[in-house]
Amino acid sequence: MRDGTRDLNRRDVVKMTGAAGATGIAGLAGCLSSGGDDGDGGNGDGDYPALGNYPVEGDTVTFGFNVPKSGPYASEGKDELRAYKLAVKHLNNGGGWVDNWSDLSGDGVLGKTVDYVEGDTATDADTARKSAKRMIDRDDAVMVSGGSSSAVAIAVQELCQSKKVMFMACLTHSNDTTGKDCGRHGFREMFNAYMTGQALAPVVTSEYGDDLDFYQLYADYSWGKTQQASMKKFFEEAGWSQVDSVATPLGTKDYSSYLSKAASSGADALFLNHYGLDGANSLQGAIQAGLDQDMEIVMPLYNRPMAEAAGGAIENIFGTVAWDSQIDNEPSNSFTKEFGDEYDGRTPSGPAQLAYAQTLQYAAAVERAGTFYSPEVIKQLEGHEYGNLGMGDELMRKCDHQAQREVPVVKGLPKSEQESGKYFEIVEITSRDKLGYECGSGPAAECELGSAK
């Protein structure tokens, strides 16, 4: 570890002057409240009963990073893990966003060095649950993060709720994650399928017209089902008509039979509700079969690794992404630079940004709470307003633990223009004011968070 004297002095000045701004006075108050010596190492964390993996013993605290290293979402998982490791490095040694958040010091969390364990979900809910259980029971993880498959995220969130351990969801887009399957110990930064429909329908109908017939293929699990339902809702409200929707198994490699039926359906447009390698395979199959000659093709959710795998097939394909390095603001530029410096110039993906953000969000909430005791950490996240992730002013809603935030709408670039990690252009960033739903409606109407204790 490096000598932190100079950095501590500088950060103390930053905190006292409010230079970080994004978390402001609330962050300063949280940091100051955690400084008393109550007989637990001087970190102000000995005032609550045992719960989950609290209290945290010793000089280190363990986070669990549960990602798909194998399976159809492996590319996303590998990029998430890179970002998780970068977040731990910055929490312990300073750098990146940590230097600009008033409630983080760069000297660990509540005086404890952050350690981590990692696991492979294999893009499978049962495997993910077993991996997360080991992290909690064997490794004493006080927080688990991960996702990529919403079925995985929902399974792990349910486990964390039962174990009273925090779950900071990474890549999960199903409405159910903060809808019917929500949990008091789970929080999601990523927008959901409902919000994708709200953001995408105005852009796509403006481009292709307001009276098309459409056909949907969707991944046959929680995310695909809510994705299909959301597309149907918002595009039919915009004047389109659904001809049919057909489920496809996760991990399908050859979509030709499904695409053939879509081509003969008479529909004007085809929605491919697939992700990761599945998304690349279905889109390439559709283009190779010439479906784009007679149908408009839309891929409602994609990302940089998927677009890279799809290559030229992504040209002119509309969709939404979690985040992208093209978003030009201080947090986005800072993360892009730090990630590239750490990983040989690699451009981070949206899933990577989510992983980094959720790790720091948890750490900052702990600092504000002055304790790792999860009910107090939850209080710091519920209703928290922030603007330090590069996605505008955000709110972590109390009623369902869903972030209210902007949604980038993108369109794929032709192969000849794909360079330096750029595979699509941002055509619109839909503001938070145009998205979402009240706590008693939409997916939130089905959310019952349960107890914090």
Side-chain angles (χ1 to χ4, degrees):
M1 293 181 66
R2 69 181 187 184
D3 181 357
T5 303
R6 183 181 63 182
D7 288 340
L8 264 178
N9 290 339
R10 176 177 60 77
R11 293 188 188 104
D12 286 344
V13 172
V14 169
K15 292 174 187 176
M16 294 305 294
T17 58
T23 49
I25 298 301
L28 176 58
C31 288
L32 292 176
S33 69
S34 65
D37 185 352
D38 63 354
D40 188 33
N43 63 14
D45 197 13
D47 298 332
Y48 303 98
L51 183 72
N53 280 330
Y54 175 86
V56 178
E57 305 291 348
D59 297 328
T60 64
V61 60
T62 301
F63 295 172
F65 302 137
N66 208 21
V67 304
K69 298 181 183 180
S70 57
Y73 297 164
S75 292
E76 287 76 14
K78 290 173 183 176
D79 220 29
E80 290 170 25
L81 190 56
R82 294 183 185 101
Y84 283 130
K85 292 178 179 180
L86 183 62
V88 169
K89 178 180 179 179
H90 289 165
L91 286 171
N92 287 331
N93 303 299
W97 292 353
V98 171
D99 287 349
N100 293 313
W101 285 26
S102 63
D103 34 15
L104 294 175
S105 68
D107 294 286
V109 180
L110 290 186
K112 296 182 184 291
T113 300
V114 179
D115 197 0
Y116 67 90
V117 291
E118 58 186 77
D120 180 11
T121 69
T123 322
D124 175 78
D126 288 338
T127 302
R129 189 184 295 107
K130 291 175 184 176
S131 176
K133 188 174 186 299
R134 284 194 299 272
M135 293 175 175
I136 295 169
D137 293 346
R138 182 190 67 190
D139 303 310
D140 294 326
V142 73
M143 181 274 282
V144 175
S145 186
S148 288
S149 158
S150 287
V152 162
I154 289 168
V156 175
Q157 179 169 263
E158 180 182 23
L159 172 72
C160 287
Q161 177 64 21
S162 69
K163 296 281 190 178
K164 306 306 179 187
V165 167
M166 296 293 293
F167 178 63
M168 301 299 288
C170 185
L171 181 58
T172 169
H173 190 242
S174 170
N175 293 337
D176 295 342
T177 308
T178 49
K180 71 181 183 67
D181 295 313
C182 67
R184 180 71 63 181
H185 280 75
F187 290 84
R188 174 165 62 176
E189 167 65 21
M190 176 65 177
F191 57 88
N192 60 19
Y194 194 99
M195 297 175 193
T196 279
Q198 290 175 313
L200 199 56
V203 175
V204 172
T205 55
S206 176
E207 180 77 12
Y208 297 136
D210 58 7
D211 59 351
L212 276 66
D213 294 331
F214 66 100
Y215 189 102
Q216 296 202 73
L217 297 179
Y218 64 94
D220 191 13
Y221 72 101
S222 177
W223 168 65
K225 293 173 183 178
T226 67
Q227 179 69 40
Q228 179 272 336
S230 296
M231 294 304 100
K232 184 176 188 297
K233 171 180 172 59
F234 289 105
F235 277 85
E236 287 189 344
E237 287 180 3
W240 288 28
S241 299
Q242 178 173 284
V243 174
D244 200 0
S245 64
V246 177
T248 62
L250 184 65
T252 297
K253 292 180 173 58
D254 183 0
Y255 287 88
S256 57
S257 62
Y258 298 104
L259 293 169
S260 177
K261 292 180 181 178
S264 62
S265 69
D268 305 303
L270 171 64
F271 287 78
L272 297 175
N273 298 294
H274 301 128
Y275 197 69
L277 186 59
D278 285 5
N281 286 337
S282 69
L283 180 56
Q284 286 178 326
I287 300 302
Q288 290 168 4
L291 269 65
D292 58 322
Q293 302 301 310
D294 299 309
M295 308 174 78
E296 308 297 350
I297 299 176
V298 179
M299 181 152 279
L301 182 72
Y302 61 87
N303 60 36
R304 184 178 300 274
M306 195 222 80
E308 180 179 11
I314 205 73
E315 180 177 356
N316 292 327
I317 303 298
F318 283 99
T320 61
V321 296
W323 169 90
D324 191 70
S325 62
Q326 297 175 63
I327 297 173
D328 185 14
N329 54 47
E330 195 281 328
S332 290
N333 296 338
S334 170
F335 175 63
T336 299
K337 179 183 183 303
E338 293 287 340
F339 192 93
D341 288 348
E342 185 74 10
Y343 297 111
D344 300 321
R346 186 182 186 90
T347 302
S349 64
Q353 188 265 359
L354 288 169
Y356 185 82
Q358 286 293 75
T359 307
L360 267 59
Q361 283 277 53
Y362 170 74
V366 169
E367 291 283 4
R368 293 195 300 272
T371 178
F372 289 103
Y373 184 62
S374 61
E376 294 300 315
V377 179
I378 289 168
K379 290 178 184 177
Q380 292 298 323
L381 288 166
E382 290 183 331
H384 181 53
E385 296 191 55
Y386 50 102
N388 48 8
L389 307 187
M391 293 309 303
D393 292 332
E394 301 190 49
L395 167 69
M396 182 58 70
R397 200 157 62 171
K398 183 176 181 179
C399 68
D400 58 356
H401 295 185
Q402 171 65 56
Q404 304 298 291
R405 48 160 288 182
E406 299 174 335
V407 173
V409 178
V410 300
K411 183 170 71 170
L413 292 171
K415 185 70 174 178
S416 60
E417 296 180 23
Q418 295 179 9
E419 57 183 4
S420 301
K422 184 178 179 182
Y423 302 97
F424 45 79
E425 61 177 328
I426 297 175
V427 296
E428 183 171 320
I429 296 182
T430 306
S431 73
R432 162 183 155 185
D433 294 340
K434 296 180 180 179
L435 302 167
Y437 39 88
E438 298 297 324
C439 286
S441 64
E446 300 182 77
C447 173
E448 295 183 8
L449 288 168
S451 173
K453 300 179 183 180

